[in-house]
């Protein structure tokens, strides 16, 4: 039994070390002040499918950008929509945009990546920024994102927020998602790029072509963000940055149904064990075991050894402390203090959610846009 106690303690220490490094990385991130000096042109690529209800607000938000119209283009990739998405794009699209339609004849594997590849092929500019159709943007979004690029920079990841004025479920999602964004930012801050969000992701077209784009990642439906991020980090010497500024924020919507939420998170988790960096895979497994260990300690304390309540309490306590440090720091800089209101409830819910999502992700098939897609 002593060995079991030791295992649980070591898993907790590893988790504290991991989140502690994230916190240090966040403190190292720096804003780039001053006038925008990057004159490179931008191509904004937006893959979409059956997004009729979002087209008007999407196009209005894009049209509000302060960056001069001649500095960027917008490419909409309509991926087999069977509603009136295309017709609304024709009606509302900004003047500096074009629409590419992908019609039937494609399988469901990695559809978004294939749409993005099509967008990159049809882009005219050296900097690519990808986002999603259900997003909205600060007026200076493109201006701020672009100023992080220099000749040595290949990728700039940006912050993402969720609208959370609907109900408690949306507020918990917002906090949980902010934790993911801040974790990705912190890991970039310690020069260990691991995760980011495709809703706000910028990169050099030349680097995309240099590393072969998504050619070796078409076996996964997700990963157009983190798999590519890790690929560039491991195969090139370019810098990878995080735009740690409120005006670089992209805002999107939370899931409205618990089933949709788990489908999305399982899809995200599905490729984690297939990362090329095996040390990273080991870290992910240890983090999963930490969460699984919390449940096992609680059950073990109830039915086998009450002393497991002590290791459970200590593990939960340190989890709450280190995660609060990260989220509290982010609430002061990127988000707002309201985001912390459901913190304790979210901490408890997160434990079974992480376990269920990780296990569910191993089985491979998920629903997206009304269709079943493979891992």
């Amino acid at each position: 039994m002593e060995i079991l106690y030791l295992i649980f303690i070591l898993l907790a220490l590893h988790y504290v070390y991991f989140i502690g490094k994230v916190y240090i990385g966040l403190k190292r991130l720096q804003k780039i002040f001053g006038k925008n000096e990057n004159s490179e042109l931008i191509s904004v690529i937006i893959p979409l499918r059956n997004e009729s209800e979002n087209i008007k607000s999407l196009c209005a938000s894009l049209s509000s950008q302060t960056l001069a119209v001649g500095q960027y283009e917008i490419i909409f990739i309509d991926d087999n929509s069977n509603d009136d998405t295309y017709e609304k794009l024709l009606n509302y699209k900004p003047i500096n945009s074009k629409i590419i339609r992908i019609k039937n004849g494609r399988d469901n594997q990695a559809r978004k990546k294939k749409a993005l590849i099509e967008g990159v092929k049809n882009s005219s500019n050296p900097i690519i920024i990808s986002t999603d159709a259900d997003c909205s943007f600060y007026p200076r979004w493109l201006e701020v994102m672009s100023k992080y690029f220099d000749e040595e920079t290949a990728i700039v990841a940006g912050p993402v927020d969720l609208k959370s004025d609907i109900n408690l479920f949306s507020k918990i999602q917002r906090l949980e998602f902010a934790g993911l964004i801040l974790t990705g930012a912190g890991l970039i801050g310690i020069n260990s790029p691991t995760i980011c969000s495709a809703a706000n992701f910028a990169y050099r077209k030349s680097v995309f072509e240099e590393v072969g784009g998504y050619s070796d990642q078409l076996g996964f439906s997700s990963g157009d963000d983190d798999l590519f991020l890790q690929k560039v980090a491991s195969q090139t010497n370019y810098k990878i940055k995080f735009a740690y500024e409120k005006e670089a924020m992209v805002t999107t919507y939370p899931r409205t149904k618990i089933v949709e939420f788990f489908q999305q998170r399982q899809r995200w988790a599905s490729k984690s064990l297939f990362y090329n960096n095996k040390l990273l895979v080991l870290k992910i497994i240890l983090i999963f075991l930490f969460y699984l260990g919390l449940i096992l300690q609680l059950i073990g304390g109830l039915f086998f050894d009450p002393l497991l309540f002590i290791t459970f309490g200590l593990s939960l306590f340190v989890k709450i402390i280190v995660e609060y440090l990260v989220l509290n720091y982010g609430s002061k800089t990127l988000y707002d203090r309201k985001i912390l209101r459901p913190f304790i409830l979210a901490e408890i819910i997160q434990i079974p959610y992480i376990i269920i999502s990780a296990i569910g992700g191993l089985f491979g098939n998920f629903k997206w846009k009304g269709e079943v897609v493979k891992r």
Side-chain angles (χ1 to χ4, degrees):
M1 189 62 73
E2 288 79 8
I3 294 177
L4 194 60
Y5 298 149
L6 179 61
I7 290 172
F8 289 140
I9 291 171
L10 290 176
L11 287 172
L13 289 174
H14 171 265
Y15 191 74
V16 170
Y17 175 77
F18 175 78
I19 301 298
K21 296 287 283 184
V22 169
Y23 181 72
I24 292 171
L26 288 174
K27 302 279 281 188
R28 289 180 180 176
L29 293 174
Q30 296 181 346
K31 295 180 180 180
I32 296 180
F33 296 99
K35 186 178 179 181
N36 174 28
E37 298 179 354
N38 181 45
S39 60
E40 294 178 283
L41 303 181
I42 296 169
S43 293
V44 181
I45 299 178
I46 307 174
L48 35 75
R49 184 173 189 275
N50 295 343
E51 295 284 356
S52 174
E53 63 182 22
N54 293 316
I55 296 302
K56 184 176 180 180
S57 59
L58 169 69
C59 292
S61 188
L62 289 168
S63 297
S64 70
Q65 292 299 300
T66 56
L67 191 65
V69 171
Q71 289 291 108
Y72 68 100
E73 65 176 354
I74 301 169
I75 304 174
F76 298 101
I77 313 295
D78 181 12
D79 182 11
N80 284 286
S81 293
N82 51 30
D83 61 5
D84 62 346
T85 291
Y86 178 70
E87 288 73 21
K88 285 193 174 181
L89 280 174
L90 290 176
N91 190 29
Y92 295 113
K93 71 183 184 74
I95 57 173
N96 56 331
S97 64
K98 58 185 176 182
I99 307 169
I100 298 172
R101 298 186 77 182
I102 299 176
K103 298 186 178 181
N104 295 328
R106 299 167 64 237
D107 60 44
N108 288 338
Q109 187 75 6
R111 294 182 63 151
K112 184 180 178 183
K113 290 177 186 171
K114 292 172 183 175
L116 287 167
I117 291 171
E118 197 68 26
V120 173
K121 286 180 180 177
N122 286 273
S123 65
S124 305
N125 300 326
I127 303 297
I128 304 292
I129 300 184
S130 66
T131 187
D132 296 326
D134 58 353
C135 293
S136 58
F137 321 95
Y138 279 85
R140 293 188 64 239
W141 170 54
L142 290 178
E143 186 178 336
V144 173
M145 289 291 288
S146 67
K147 72 181 183 180
Y148 279 80
F149 278 96
D150 54 34
E151 293 181 355
E152 298 178 343
T153 301
I155 290 177
V156 177
V160 183
D161 195 7
L162 297 183
K163 299 179 188 297
S164 63
D165 55 352
I166 304 172
N167 50 41
L168 179 60
F169 180 43
S170 69
K171 290 177 171 61
I172 291 174
Q173 284 185 73
R174 185 190 181 209
L175 182 61
E176 182 266 346
F177 192 69
L180 291 175
I181 295 298
L182 291 168
T183 297
L187 291 172
I188 289 174
I190 59 170
N191 198 30
S192 182
T194 305
I195 58 173
C196 60
S197 174
N200 195 5
F201 188 49
Y203 50 89
R204 288 195 173 277
K205 180 178 179 179
S206 60
V207 176
F208 184 86
E209 294 169 341
E210 177 184 333
V211 300
Y214 303 129
S215 59
D216 59 341
Q217 302 169 7
L218 297 179
F220 301 97
S221 292
S222 63
D224 48 286
D225 40 26
D226 53 354
L227 290 178
F228 181 67
L229 176 80
Q230 294 170 28
K231 185 178 181 179
V232 171
S234 64
Q235 296 185 13
T236 76
N237 294 318
Y238 287 101
K239 293 180 181 177
I240 294 175
K241 300 177 182 177
F242 188 90
Y244 201 73
E245 297 188 45
K246 184 79 170 181
E247 288 186 301
M249 184 78 76
V250 167
T251 305
T252 186
Y253 291 92
R255 302 298 95 181
T256 57
K257 299 177 181 179
I258 293 178
V259 172
E260 293 176 349
F261 172 78
F262 275 104
Q263 285 286 327
Q264 182 188 59
R265 296 311 196 262
Q266 287 171 13
R267 181 164 53 86
W268 290 354
S270 64
K271 76 282 185 183
S272 299
L273 293 181
F274 299 91
Y275 288 157
N276 289 327
N277 185 337
K278 300 310 176 187
L279 180 59
L280 175 58
V281 173
L282 176 60
K283 291 178 181 178
I284 291 170
I285 292 173
L286 291 175
I287 291 171
F288 169 76
L289 290 176
F290 168 73
Y291 277 87
L292 181 62
L294 289 170
I295 298 293
L296 294 178
Q297 289 169 79
L298 187 58
I299 295 173
L302 285 171
F303 297 102
F304 299 105
D305 185 354
L307 288 178
L308 287 172
F309 282 130
I310 297 177
T311 57
F312 168 78
L314 290 173
S315 298
L316 183 61
F317 177 74
V318 296
K319 172 187 183 301
I320 289 172
I321 293 300
V322 294
E323 290 183 2
Y324 180 80
L325 287 174
V326 169
L327 290 166
N328 182 59
Y329 185 82
S331 72
K332 295 176 182 178
T333 49
L334 286 182
Y335 299 96
D336 54 66
R337 302 299 293 174
K338 292 189 298 183
I339 199 172
L340 293 172
R341 289 176 181 174
F343 174 72
I344 296 299
L345 179 59
E347 284 290 293
I348 296 171
I349 292 174
Q350 186 192 36
I351 298 169
Y353 138 69
I354 290 290
I355 296 171
I356 294 170
S357 296
I359 294 174
L362 294 176
F363 292 94
N365 291 337
F366 320 97
K367 284 187 177 180
W368 180 77
K369 298 293 183 182
E371 295 184 351
V372 176
V373 296
K374 298 178 181 179
R375 187 198 308 278

